[in-house]
Amino acid sequence: MSRRHYAVSLQQASQDSPTLARLTALTRESSERLKAIETLIPAGLRAGIQAGPIDGDSWCLLVKSNSAAAKLRQLAPALQAHLRSRGWEVNAIRLKVQT
């Protein structure tokens, strides 16, 4: 097995590894989803929300507080509908409160 002893960019590494390429694509898609629903989220909550992992038709949002998570639970049906109208098959939005 040959081992590299030189630096490679993340882009090059992801091109060389199908697993890393898939992970990079999922991370990019998750960020795009968050950007797509940003206008539907109250301005005061936006800074406390991060895009999380995608698992099939389920998407996770990382939230900084329980109160923000409660509000997002109320908005979840509208967020899902908006994402579906943009071509993403999202049947569930999971929320994980980061403490």
mmCIF file of all heavy atoms in Angstrom, residues 2-25 28:
data_model
loop_
_atom_site.group_PDB
_atom_site.id
_atom_site.type_symbol
_atom_site.label_atom_id
_atom_site.label_comp_id
_atom_site.label_asym_id
_atom_site.label_seq_id
_atom_site.Cartn_x
_atom_site.Cartn_y
_atom_site.Cartn_z
ATOM 1 N N SER A 2 0.653 2.119 -0.924
ATOM 2 C CA SER A 2 1.454 3.334 -1.007
ATOM 3 C C SER A 2 0.818 4.420 -0.155
ATOM 4 O O SER A 2 -0.397 4.531 -0.053
ATOM 5 C CB SER A 2 1.568 3.730 -2.472
ATOM 6 O OG SER A 2 1.079 4.976 -2.715
ATOM 7 N N ARG A 3 1.636 5.216 0.440
ATOM 8 C CA ARG A 3 1.146 6.279 1.311
ATOM 9 C C ARG A 3 1.632 7.617 0.772
ATOM 10 O O ARG A 3 2.791 7.765 0.425
ATOM 11 C CB ARG A 3 1.658 6.052 2.721
ATOM 12 C CG ARG A 3 1.084 7.018 3.683
ATOM 13 C CD ARG A 3 1.461 6.635 5.075
ATOM 14 N NE ARG A 3 0.807 7.574 5.933
ATOM 15 C CZ ARG A 3 0.295 7.277 7.085
ATOM 16 N NH1 ARG A 3 0.392 6.069 7.533
ATOM 17 N NH2 ARG A 3 -0.290 8.176 7.813
ATOM 18 N N ARG A 4 0.726 8.571 0.739
ATOM 19 C CA ARG A 4 1.073 9.900 0.263
ATOM 20 C C ARG A 4 1.785 10.678 1.350
ATOM 21 O O ARG A 4 1.406 10.634 2.505
ATOM 22 C CB ARG A 4 -0.176 10.672 -0.137
ATOM 23 C CG ARG A 4 -0.864 10.105 -1.316
ATOM 24 C CD ARG A 4 -2.041 10.979 -1.652
ATOM 25 N NE ARG A 4 -2.800 10.346 -2.706
ATOM 26 C CZ ARG A 4 -3.975 10.748 -3.108
ATOM 27 N NH1 ARG A 4 -4.539 11.792 -2.551
ATOM 28 N NH2 ARG A 4 -4.601 10.132 -4.063
ATOM 29 N N HIS A 5 2.780 11.414 0.942
ATOM 30 C CA HIS A 5 3.498 12.255 1.886
ATOM 31 C C HIS A 5 3.468 13.708 1.427
ATOM 32 O O HIS A 5 4.441 14.435 1.591
ATOM 33 C CB HIS A 5 4.939 11.777 2.050
ATOM 34 C CG HIS A 5 5.020 10.434 2.693
ATOM 35 N ND1 HIS A 5 4.779 10.234 4.028
ATOM 36 C CD2 HIS A 5 5.287 9.214 2.170
ATOM 37 C CE1 HIS A 5 4.896 8.960 4.312
ATOM 38 N NE2 HIS A 5 5.207 8.302 3.198
ATOM 39 N N TYR A 6 2.361 14.097 0.845
ATOM 40 C CA TYR A 6 2.200 15.476 0.400
ATOM 41 C C TYR A 6 0.750 15.896 0.651
ATOM 42 O O TYR A 6 -0.143 15.063 0.736
ATOM 43 C CB TYR A 6 2.575 15.643 -1.075
ATOM 44 C CG TYR A 6 1.821 14.722 -2.010
ATOM 45 C CD1 TYR A 6 0.627 15.139 -2.599
ATOM 46 C CD2 TYR A 6 2.293 13.448 -2.309
ATOM 47 C CE1 TYR A 6 -0.079 14.297 -3.437
ATOM 48 C CE2 TYR A 6 1.599 12.605 -3.149
ATOM 49 C CZ TYR A 6 0.412 13.032 -3.727
ATOM 50 O OH TYR A 6 -0.281 12.201 -4.558
ATOM 51 N N ALA A 7 0.559 17.161 0.784
ATOM 52 C CA ALA A 7 -0.773 17.690 1.075
ATOM 53 C C ALA A 7 -1.640 17.662 -0.181
ATOM 54 O O ALA A 7 -1.154 17.870 -1.292
ATOM 55 C CB ALA A 7 -0.667 19.120 1.589
ATOM 56 N N VAL A 8 -2.910 17.366 0.022
ATOM 57 C CA VAL A 8 -3.889 17.442 -1.062
ATOM 58 C C VAL A 8 -5.052 18.297 -0.581
ATOM 59 O O VAL A 8 -5.338 18.361 0.617
ATOM 60 C CB VAL A 8 -4.403 16.047 -1.492
ATOM 61 C CG1 VAL A 8 -3.303 15.226 -2.110
ATOM 62 C CG2 VAL A 8 -5.056 15.312 -0.351
ATOM 63 N N SER A 9 -5.712 18.941 -1.504
ATOM 64 C CA SER A 9 -6.862 19.768 -1.138
ATOM 65 C C SER A 9 -8.045 18.866 -0.813
ATOM 66 O O SER A 9 -8.080 17.688 -1.197
ATOM 67 C CB SER A 9 -7.229 20.700 -2.290
ATOM 68 O OG SER A 9 -7.758 19.945 -3.370
ATOM 69 N N LEU A 10 -9.018 19.418 -0.119
ATOM 70 C CA LEU A 10 -10.230 18.668 0.196
ATOM 71 C C LEU A 10 -10.932 18.248 -1.092
ATOM 72 O O LEU A 10 -11.430 17.130 -1.199
ATOM 73 C CB LEU A 10 -11.168 19.508 1.071
ATOM 74 C CG LEU A 10 -12.490 18.863 1.453
ATOM 75 C CD1 LEU A 10 -12.263 17.557 2.196
ATOM 76 C CD2 LEU A 10 -13.320 19.804 2.285
ATOM 77 N N GLN A 11 -10.941 19.130 -2.070
ATOM 78 C CA GLN A 11 -11.569 18.811 -3.345
ATOM 79 C C GLN A 11 -10.887 17.609 -3.996
ATOM 80 O O GLN A 11 -11.555 16.692 -4.467
ATOM 81 C CB GLN A 11 -11.527 20.016 -4.268
ATOM 82 C CG GLN A 11 -12.203 19.770 -5.604
ATOM 83 C CD GLN A 11 -12.164 20.979 -6.511
ATOM 84 O OE1 GLN A 11 -11.448 21.933 -6.257
ATOM 85 N NE2 GLN A 11 -12.930 20.935 -7.581
ATOM 86 N N GLN A 12 -9.570 17.585 -4.011
ATOM 87 C CA GLN A 12 -8.837 16.468 -4.602
ATOM 88 C C GLN A 12 -9.093 15.180 -3.821
ATOM 89 O O GLN A 12 -9.303 14.128 -4.407
ATOM 90 C CB GLN A 12 -7.337 16.764 -4.645
ATOM 91 C CG GLN A 12 -6.515 15.651 -5.264
ATOM 92 C CD GLN A 12 -6.843 15.394 -6.715
ATOM 93 O OE1 GLN A 12 -7.034 16.321 -7.474
ATOM 94 N NE2 GLN A 12 -6.926 14.138 -7.090
ATOM 95 N N ALA A 13 -9.074 15.279 -2.500
ATOM 96 C CA ALA A 13 -9.321 14.093 -1.669
ATOM 97 C C ALA A 13 -10.720 13.544 -1.919
ATOM 98 O O ALA A 13 -10.906 12.331 -1.992
ATOM 99 C CB ALA A 13 -9.132 14.440 -0.197
ATOM 100 N N SER A 14 -11.702 14.436 -2.046
ATOM 101 C CA SER A 14 -13.071 13.966 -2.264
ATOM 102 C C SER A 14 -13.230 13.336 -3.641
ATOM 103 O O SER A 14 -14.020 12.420 -3.816
ATOM 104 C CB SER A 14 -14.086 15.086 -2.062
ATOM 105 O OG SER A 14 -13.974 16.069 -3.056
ATOM 106 N N GLN A 15 -12.460 13.800 -4.625
ATOM 107 C CA GLN A 15 -12.514 13.200 -5.957
ATOM 108 C C GLN A 15 -11.884 11.809 -5.957
ATOM 109 O O GLN A 15 -12.285 10.941 -6.713
ATOM 110 C CB GLN A 15 -11.801 14.093 -6.972
ATOM 111 C CG GLN A 15 -12.553 15.371 -7.261
ATOM 112 C CD GLN A 15 -11.753 16.341 -8.119
ATOM 113 O OE1 GLN A 15 -10.566 16.134 -8.372
ATOM 114 N NE2 GLN A 15 -12.393 17.410 -8.546
ATOM 115 N N ASP A 16 -10.906 11.612 -5.095
ATOM 116 C CA ASP A 16 -10.212 10.328 -5.023
ATOM 117 C C ASP A 16 -10.950 9.285 -4.187
ATOM 118 O O ASP A 16 -10.642 8.112 -4.253
ATOM 119 C CB ASP A 16 -8.808 10.511 -4.445
ATOM 120 C CG ASP A 16 -7.895 11.289 -5.376
ATOM 121 O OD1 ASP A 16 -8.240 11.447 -6.566
ATOM 122 O OD2 ASP A 16 -6.839 11.741 -4.912
ATOM 123 N N SER A 17 -11.909 9.713 -3.394
ATOM 124 C CA SER A 17 -12.622 8.802 -2.512
ATOM 125 C C SER A 17 -14.131 8.927 -2.725
ATOM 126 O O SER A 17 -14.709 9.966 -2.416
ATOM 127 C CB SER A 17 -12.299 9.138 -1.051
ATOM 128 O OG SER A 17 -13.189 8.472 -0.180
ATOM 129 N N PRO A 18 -14.787 7.887 -3.222
ATOM 130 C CA PRO A 18 -16.239 7.958 -3.432
ATOM 131 C C PRO A 18 -17.006 8.245 -2.138
ATOM 132 O O PRO A 18 -17.985 8.990 -2.146
ATOM 133 C CB PRO A 18 -16.594 6.574 -3.972
ATOM 134 C CG PRO A 18 -15.322 6.024 -4.509
ATOM 135 C CD PRO A 18 -14.223 6.638 -3.686
ATOM 136 N N THR A 19 -16.542 7.703 -1.028
ATOM 137 C CA THR A 19 -17.217 7.929 0.250
ATOM 138 C C THR A 19 -17.121 9.390 0.661
ATOM 139 O O THR A 19 -18.115 10.006 1.055
ATOM 140 C CB THR A 19 -16.600 7.038 1.350
ATOM 141 O OG1 THR A 19 -16.705 5.672 0.949
ATOM 142 C CG2 THR A 19 -17.317 7.229 2.669
ATOM 143 N N LEU A 20 -15.943 9.947 0.548
ATOM 144 C CA LEU A 20 -15.755 11.354 0.893
ATOM 145 C C LEU A 20 -16.499 12.260 -0.084
ATOM 146 O O LEU A 20 -17.058 13.284 0.309
ATOM 147 C CB LEU A 20 -14.266 11.698 0.927
ATOM 148 C CG LEU A 20 -13.889 13.067 1.470
ATOM 149 C CD1 LEU A 20 -14.494 13.310 2.854
ATOM 150 C CD2 LEU A 20 -12.376 13.213 1.530
ATOM 151 N N ALA A 21 -16.551 11.876 -1.351
ATOM 152 C CA ALA A 21 -17.290 12.656 -2.347
ATOM 153 C C ALA A 21 -18.774 12.688 -1.991
ATOM 154 O O ALA A 21 -19.421 13.740 -2.082
ATOM 155 C CB ALA A 21 -17.082 12.068 -3.737
ATOM 156 N N ARG A 22 -19.317 11.558 -1.578
ATOM 157 C CA ARG A 22 -20.748 11.485 -1.189
ATOM 158 C C ARG A 22 -20.992 12.343 0.047
ATOM 159 O O ARG A 22 -21.979 13.070 0.128
ATOM 160 C CB ARG A 22 -21.144 10.030 -0.927
ATOM 161 C CG ARG A 22 -22.555 9.850 -0.468
ATOM 162 C CD ARG A 22 -23.540 10.068 -1.599
ATOM 163 N NE ARG A 22 -24.890 9.851 -1.102
ATOM 164 C CZ ARG A 22 -25.896 10.660 -1.338
ATOM 165 N NH1 ARG A 22 -25.744 11.719 -2.107
ATOM 166 N NH2 ARG A 22 -27.076 10.410 -0.842
ATOM 167 N N LEU A 23 -20.106 12.280 1.016
ATOM 168 C CA LEU A 23 -20.237 13.080 2.233
ATOM 169 C C LEU A 23 -20.182 14.573 1.909
ATOM 170 O O LEU A 23 -20.966 15.369 2.429
ATOM 171 C CB LEU A 23 -19.146 12.710 3.229
ATOM 172 C CG LEU A 23 -19.158 13.430 4.565
ATOM 173 C CD1 LEU A 23 -20.461 13.186 5.310
ATOM 174 C CD2 LEU A 23 -17.981 12.992 5.402
ATOM 175 N N THR A 24 -19.274 14.957 1.030
ATOM 176 C CA THR A 24 -19.160 16.353 0.609
ATOM 177 C C THR A 24 -20.441 16.814 -0.073
ATOM 178 O O THR A 24 -20.939 17.907 0.189
ATOM 179 C CB THR A 24 -17.949 16.533 -0.329
ATOM 180 O OG1 THR A 24 -16.777 16.107 0.353
ATOM 181 C CG2 THR A 24 -17.788 17.970 -0.773
ATOM 182 N N ALA A 25 -20.999 15.973 -0.933
ATOM 183 C CA ALA A 25 -22.245 16.318 -1.631
ATOM 184 C C ALA A 25 -23.406 16.469 -0.654
ATOM 185 O O ALA A 25 -24.219 17.393 -0.777
ATOM 186 C CB ALA A 25 -22.562 15.260 -2.686
ATOM 187 N N ARG A 28 -23.040 19.754 1.269
ATOM 188 C CA ARG A 28 -23.414 20.879 0.395
ATOM 189 C C ARG A 28 -24.938 20.960 0.260
ATOM 190 O O ARG A 28 -25.524 22.033 0.365
ATOM 191 C CB ARG A 28 -22.769 20.712 -0.980
ATOM 192 C CG ARG A 28 -22.980 21.894 -1.897
ATOM 193 C CD ARG A 28 -22.295 21.739 -3.251
ATOM 194 N NE ARG A 28 -20.917 21.296 -3.166
ATOM 195 C CZ ARG A 28 -20.467 20.105 -3.592
ATOM 196 N NH1 ARG A 28 -21.283 19.244 -4.131
ATOM 197 N NH2 ARG A 28 -19.192 19.785 -3.469
#
